Every structure is written in C-alpha cells, then in structure tokens.
Amino acid sequence: WIPIMFKAVVSTQSTGAHVCIQQTALDLLALGYKVHIVVDATSSRTDVDRFFAFQRMRQAGAHLTTSESMILGLAGASDHPNFKELQKIIKTEAADTNLLQFSCM
C-alpha cells in the first residue's frame, strides 16, 4: 500500500467576500479542504463586511494570503521556468485594498 497525495486548487469567480466567497470557503472547510483566501483579490459592498468575513473564515480554519504570496507560492522557487514573467506581474503597483486599517482589530 502506497499513499498518494492529491493537491486540489479551487478557485471562485466572485468578489463578494462576505457572501459568495465566505460561504464557499466555509462549505469547503466543512468538507475537509484546505482553503486559502487571496484577500487582495476580493471585495465587498463595504470594507467592514469584508473584514468580518475574513475574520470568520480565518476562525473557521481558512488561510488568508495575498495575490503576490499566492503567485510565488504556486511557482515554488526562483528556478520556475516562468519566474521572471511572474516577477513582472507582481512588481506592478497594486491599488490600495484598505485592508491595513483593520489589521489591528
């Protein structure tokens, strides 16, 4: 008997952190999946809704990360064949996400 490891990546096509993404994340966590939320790739009607959705998902076991962290994590290392192209993408200045205002809560 040889154990085999599978890695599944689930991506949602919604920006509503406090509704669609939160419910999908909670459902996947309940099914035993590891869930990573790319916080700077989501939005909500209000920043407060988004913040409390992130807080709830984190408490439920989701890992919160950023797009840069996720891109580099999926690449694995600087020897990835597309690493230079990925660097160009992440070096582009991103818009302010208003997430830091809630970081102390």
Side-chain angles (χ1 to χ4, degrees):
W1 182 78
I2 301 172
I4 300 173
M5 294 179 57
F6 293 95
K7 187 173 185 177
V9 175
V10 178
S11 174
T12 62
Q13 197 64 26
S14 172
T15 58
H18 68 293
V19 181
C20 300
I21 291 175
Q22 176 179 255
Q23 195 55 54
T24 301
L26 296 174
D27 289 347
L28 290 169
L29 288 164
L31 291 171
Y33 286 89
K34 290 182 180 177
V35 176
H36 296 259
I37 305 296
V38 182
V39 296
D40 58 337
T42 67
S43 185
S44 288
R45 195 176 59 78
T46 69
D47 288 337
V48 172
D49 285 329
R50 184 167 53 152
F51 170 76
F52 283 101
F54 292 153
Q55 190 176 47
R56 182 172 181 210
M57 290 184 278
R58 177 184 281 148
Q59 289 171 346
H63 303 277
L64 305 184
T65 191
T66 63
S67 55
E68 182 173 331
S69 229
M70 179 64 79
I71 290 168
L72 294 175
L74 290 172
S78 61
D79 61 351
H80 187 281
N82 296 329
F83 187 78
K84 293 290 184 193
E85 293 301 314
L86 294 173
Q87 272 188 319
K88 290 177 190 175
I89 293 169
I90 61 175
K91 283 185 177 181
T92 304
E93 184 155 342
D96 183 14
T97 60
N98 293 324
L99 292 173
L100 291 179
Q101 65 181 325
F102 297 108
S103 65
C104 296
M105 293 181 92

